[in-house]
Amino acid sequence: MTPANKHRSQQRLRLILYPLIGLLLSATPIAQLGAQPLAEDDEEALLDLYGDEDTISIATGVRQSIAQAPAVASVITAKDIEAMGATDIDDVLETVPGLHVSARAFGYGPVYVFRGVRAEYNPQVLMLINGIPVSNLFNGDRSLIWGGMPVNAIARVEVIRGPGSAVYGADAFAGVINIITKSRKDIPNTVVGARTGSFDTHDAWLLHGTDWGETDFAFMLEYHKTQGHGEHIDSDAQSGLDAVTGTQASYAPGPVNLQRENLDMRLELSRDLWRLRAGLQRRRDFGNGAGVAEALDPNNRYQSDRWNIDLTYHNPNFRPHWDVSAQISYLNTTQEVDEDLIIFPPGTDLSIIGLGIFADGMIGNPEVYERHSRANFSALYNGLKRHQLRVGAGYYHGDLYKTRESKNFGIDPETNAPLLPGSKIVDVSDTPYIFLPETDRHNHYLFVQDVWQLAADWALTAGLRYDHYSDFGSTTNPRLALVWSTRRNLTTKLLYGRAFRSPSMTESYAINNPVSLGNSNLDPETMESLELAFNYQPSEQWRLGLNLFHYQWDDIINFMPDPEPQTSSTAQNTGRQSGSGGEIEVSWSPSPQLNINANYSLQHTEDKSTGQSASDVPQQQIYLAMDWNFKSQWHLNTQLHWVLDREREPGDSRTTIADYRLVDLTLRRGRHNDPWQIAFALRNLFDSDIREPSAWSAPAAGIPGDLPMAGRHFFGEMQYHF
C-alpha cells in the first residue's frame, strides 16, 4: 500500500468510527455515567432484552448474554441459518463481521481470515464441534480433506473474534468457531429433506429426536454429492513450465476439480448428568481443486474418515456453590489417496531442476492417520462474595500414528539410488525417505479464571492458562476483560488477551520434500490483542455494536529459502504483523415482518518486514441482509457481500485483486418447525466474476488469474416435519 493509500485508509477509519463512538457514549449523559447502578437481576433483564438466543458460552465456559460476555462475539442460530438459506458452514461464517472466507488451491479448502490474519493452511483459527477441537496435527488445519460441513444438524454457531488461548489453549489465536449440533430439544420429531440444484448437486437429510424413558435420543444423517462448479482456469503452474520447456502437458485451460461425496452422521444420548455424543464425517471421491502444486489434474481423488466420540458429566449442584464438569473425547482422522495424486501432469519436463521428463506425470501419494485423545475437568465456585471462580486442568495426546507414501521420484528405498524419470511408483512408507515421520505430541494444562463483580455495573474477568507441550515447551497466556454496564441498554468492554499457535507437524518435522522442510526448533506463534467494544440497544427494534481492535502478531512461521544450490525452503520464525481496525454492526426490525442486519469491517494490517499491507486479505467488507415475511408463510431473504481492497504480495506484478459484490436470494414457504417447507435460492444473482487470491511464487504465480469461484447457480429444496 502506498503512503497515500495508507493515509486514506486511516482517514476512513477515523471518519466512520469516531462519530459512532460519540453517538454511543452520548446515549448516556456524562453526569449520569456510573450513577445508575443496575438492579440485582440485571443479568436476567439483559437476557430478556437481548433474547435467550443471544447468549454465548465459549467466552468463559459459562452461559451469559453476548452483551455481558468478556469477548467480541457473534451467535448464529438454526433459525438464522434457515432464513439465509445456507447449505454449508462457510455460508454462515461469511456473515460474521471481520471474518472473510477465502480459499486455497488444493481442494478449494476454506481459509477463515479473521481481521487480516491469513495463512495457507489457516492454523491460526480454532474450530470446535460441541466445544472439542477438530484441528489436525499434520498442517494444523481442519484437514486437507475437509469437504465442507452441512448445516441441517447445527443448532447454533458461536464465534469469537480475537485470541482465546486463556480458555482454549493452542490455536485459539485469531478467532474461535464453536459449532453446536442439535440435541433432543432441538428435534421435537422426525425431519426429512432433500435439495437439488446446479453442478449436479444433490443433498438429503434425516433428523430424529425421541425419548427412551429418561434418556433423550437424537440422530442426524446428512448426505451431499456434487460435481462442483467447474469454473475454468486459463493458465496454471504447468502452463508456465510448458512455456519454458516447450511441452504441452498442462490441462489448462480447464475446469477445477471439485467433485465430492460426503456423509455426515451424528448421535446424542443424554440422561440426568451424562451426555454421550458420537459422529462420523466421511469424505469420498474428493477432487483436488486447482491441484496440490497449482497444476490442474482432473483424475486425482482423495478420501477421509473423521469419527469422534465424547462423554460429558456435568453436575451444576455437585456441592453447595460448586458446579463441576468432566469430559473425555476421542477423534480419529485420516487423509487418504484414492486415485494417484499427480503433482505435475503426464509429459511434464522437470529437467530444469535436474529431474527429467515424467511421461506418466510426477506422482506422490502422501497419507496421514491421526488419533486425538482428550480429558479435562473444570469446577465453577460461587461461594465467594462478588467472585465467580473457575479452575480446571486437562490432558491432550495427539498421535500421528501412521504415515504412508508412494511416489515416482526421490530415492528408491531398495537401492538407495535416485528414482529416474519413468520409474514405477514405489512405496517409501516406513523408510527414511518418507515425507513425514510418525510422531506424537503431549499437552498438559491448568487454567484459572475469576469473574469479579467490582460493583453493580462493573465486572472484571481475569484468566490465566498454563500449557506444557512435549515438543516445544511451555507457554502461559493471560486475559483481562473489563465489562461496564454503562446503562441497561449499553455495555462497554475493554479487552486484553494473549494467544499462541503451536507449530504443525509439517512445519516441525517434514523431510524429503524438495520444496518445504520442517524445523524442530520452532517457537509457537504469539499474538497480543487489545479491544474496545460497545453494545447498544436503544429499543427492541434497534441494536448497534462497535468494536475497535489492535493486535501484534509475532514469530510468524514462514518457509524461508535455503542457501544455494538447495531448492528447498525451511520453516523459520521470521514474520511480524500488526493490525488495527473496527467493526460496526446494526440490526433493525422496523416491523414484525421485516428484519435488516448489516455490518461493516475496516482494517489496516502491516507486514513489519516490508512496511506494506498484509497480502490477500480484504481491508473492507460490507454485509447487508434483509429478511421479509411479505405474505403469510412466505419469506424472502436477500444478502449482499461486498469485499474490497485486497493487496498483492511484495514483488507480485499482477494487477490488484478485483473487488466483488455477491448478491444471494432465498425464497421460502414455511418457517422453522412448520410441517412443510419449500425453498428456492439463487446464488451470485448477477453472475459476478469472483476471485480468491492464488499464491505468489517468484518469478510468477502458479495460477496468474487467481482462483475462480462459482458463478450464478441455484437450488430448490423440500423439507417435512413428521
Side-chain angles (χ1 to χ4, degrees), residues 28-160:
T28 302
I30 295 297
Q32 297 179 10
L33 294 182
Q36 299 181 10
L38 299 178
E40 291 181 1
D41 61 347
D42 178 62
E43 181 66 19
E44 290 301 320
L46 279 166
L47 289 175
D48 291 339
L49 178 64
Y50 286 93
D52 182 67
E53 292 180 343
D54 285 342
T55 63
I56 196 166
S57 60
I58 62 170
T60 61
V62 179
R63 173 182 171 272
Q64 58 191 148
S65 71
I66 292 178
Q68 293 290 292
V72 175
S74 299
V75 171
I76 305 100
T77 67
K79 290 181 181 179
D80 300 328
I81 294 170
E82 180 183 273
M84 69 178 70
T87 61
D88 185 83
I89 187 62
D90 292 351
D91 302 331
V92 178
L93 296 176
E94 186 66 29
T95 69
V96 175
L99 170 57
H100 173 57
V101 181
S102 186
R104 59 173 174 252
F106 181 78
Y108 269 45
V111 178
Y112 302 133
V113 183
F114 279 88
R115 295 172 170 175
V117 176
R118 189 186 197 281
E120 182 73 5
Y121 294 108
N122 205 210
Q124 294 85 7
V125 174
L126 179 64
M127 178 174 280
L128 314 168
I129 297 181
N130 296 316
I132 299 172
V134 293
S135 300
N136 279 24
L137 289 167
F138 180 34
N139 283 314
D141 61 354
R142 294 153 294 282
S143 171
L144 287 175
I145 321 301
W146 172 245
M149 182 175 179
V151 299
N152 300 97
I154 296 176
R156 57 196 279 123
V157 181
E158 302 179 346
V159 182
I160 288 179

Side-chain angles (χ1 to χ4, degrees), residues 466-653:
Y466 169 81
D467 287 82
H468 177 75
Y469 281 82
S470 57
D471 51 350
F472 63 82
S474 302
T475 178
T476 302
N477 294 274
R479 76 156 171 173
L480 292 169
L482 184 62
V483 179
W484 176 26
S485 300
T486 315
R487 58 185 301 169
R488 187 176 296 274
N489 58 5
L490 174 64
T491 304
T492 305
K493 307 177 187 180
L494 182 63
L495 313 171
Y496 165 80
R498 190 166 73 201
F500 74 101
R501 197 272 287 185
S502 55
S504 70
M505 294 306 187
T506 296
E507 292 167 333
S508 295
Y509 304 116
I511 55 177
N512 300 314
N513 188 320
V515 178
S516 303
L517 297 175
N519 177 3
S520 61
N521 295 316
L522 290 173
D523 293 323
E525 296 181 349
T526 62
M527 176 179 284
E528 288 191 281
S529 176
L530 187 65
E531 300 172 87
L532 177 64
F534 302 90
N535 289 278
Y536 178 47
Q537 185 163 348
S539 68
E540 292 184 1
Q541 290 74 39
W542 282 94
R543 187 179 308 175
L544 304 172
L546 170 64
N547 317 305
L548 306 175
F549 65 86
H550 175 79
Y551 65 79
Q552 183 73 38
W553 179 14
D554 292 314
D555 289 326
I556 301 174
I557 299 173
N558 293 311
F559 283 89
M560 305 302 295
D562 293 321
E564 294 184 356
Q566 299 179 74
T567 60
S568 59
S569 296
T570 298
Q572 305 285 352
N573 293 106
T574 60
R576 294 183 67 216
Q577 178 176 311
S578 65
S580 301
E583 299 142 0
I584 299 171
E585 304 174 65
V586 179
S587 179
W588 178 37
S589 299
S591 73
Q593 291 77 37
L594 181 63
N595 186 63
I596 297 173
N597 289 290
N599 61 64
Y600 172 73
S601 304
L602 177 65
Q603 62 192 20
H604 170 68
T605 55
E606 182 179 349
D607 185 328
K608 292 298 185 180
S609 62
T610 64
Q612 296 183 316
S613 295
S615 59
D616 301 337
V617 300
Q619 296 180 49
Q620 295 188 79
Q621 291 173 253
I622 297 171
Y623 172 72
L624 177 64
M626 180 191 72
D627 193 60
W628 179 27
N629 179 200
F630 64 91
K631 191 177 181 180
S632 177
Q633 295 297 309
W634 285 94
H635 303 261
L636 177 66
N637 182 276
T638 307
Q639 296 183 90
L640 166 68
H641 300 270
W642 193 354
V643 175
L644 306 98
D645 300 343
R646 291 173 291 175
E647 299 283 338
R648 295 289 191 188
E649 292 184 35
D652 190 336
S653 57

Side-chain angles (χ1 to χ4, degrees), residues 316-553:
N317 301 301
F318 183 75
R319 291 287 186 273
H321 307 298
W322 284 99
D323 180 333
V324 170
S325 295
Q327 183 182 73
I328 55 174
S329 67
Y330 177 83
L331 168 68
N332 188 289
T333 176
T334 70
Q335 295 180 194
E336 305 170 61
V337 178
D338 189 34
E339 296 288 343
D340 283 340
L341 173 58
I342 300 178
I343 302 169
F344 290 105
T348 189
D349 184 351
L350 297 178
S351 300
I352 57 175
I353 57 173
L355 294 180
I357 298 175
F358 288 80
D360 297 325
M362 186 179 187
I363 300 172
N365 298 320
E367 298 183 334
V368 295
Y369 300 76
E370 301 184 14
R371 291 187 287 244
H372 302 259
S373 304
R374 290 180 166 86
N376 59 72
F377 170 84
S378 67
L380 185 69
Y381 181 64
N382 293 299
L384 298 175
K385 185 177 181 181
R386 294 183 175 273
H387 289 269
Q388 187 181 69
L389 188 65
R390 187 168 182 254
V391 296
Y395 169 76
Y396 162 69
H397 179 216
D399 186 9
L400 206 164
Y401 67 93
K402 183 166 66 174
T403 57
R404 297 178 55 85
E405 184 181 19
S406 59
K407 55 188 177 181
N408 64 355
F409 62 94
I411 304 296
D412 186 338
E414 292 187 2
T415 64
N416 292 322
L419 288 165
L420 299 176
S423 298
K424 294 181 179 180
I425 297 174
V426 300
D427 190 344
V428 298
S429 305
D430 300 317
T431 76
Y433 305 114
I434 197 167
F435 71 105
L436 187 69
E438 296 167 4
T439 185
D440 66 349
R441 168 179 287 169
H442 298 263
N443 167 222
H444 300 80
Y445 64 87
L446 301 167
F447 69 86
V448 61
Q449 174 183 274
D450 181 30
V451 181
W452 180 14
Q453 196 69 38
L454 298 169
D457 50 0
W458 290 88
L460 176 66
T461 299
L464 187 71
R465 173 163 162 154
Y466 169 81
D467 287 82
H468 177 75
Y469 281 82
S470 57
D471 51 350
F472 63 82
S474 302
T475 178
T476 302
N477 294 274
R479 76 156 171 173
L480 292 169
L482 184 62
V483 179
W484 176 26
S485 300
T486 315
R487 58 185 301 169
R488 187 176 296 274
N489 58 5
L490 174 64
T491 304
T492 305
K493 307 177 187 180
L494 182 63
L495 313 171
Y496 165 80
R498 190 166 73 201
F500 74 101
R501 197 272 287 185
S502 55
S504 70
M505 294 306 187
T506 296
E507 292 167 333
S508 295
Y509 304 116
I511 55 177
N512 300 314
N513 188 320
V515 178
S516 303
L517 297 175
N519 177 3
S520 61
N521 295 316
L522 290 173
D523 293 323
E525 296 181 349
T526 62
M527 176 179 284
E528 288 191 281
S529 176
L530 187 65
E531 300 172 87
L532 177 64
F534 302 90
N535 289 278
Y536 178 47
Q537 185 163 348
S539 68
E540 292 184 1
Q541 290 74 39
W542 282 94
R543 187 179 308 175
L544 304 172
L546 170 64
N547 317 305
L548 306 175
F549 65 86
H550 175 79
Y551 65 79
Q552 183 73 38
W553 179 14

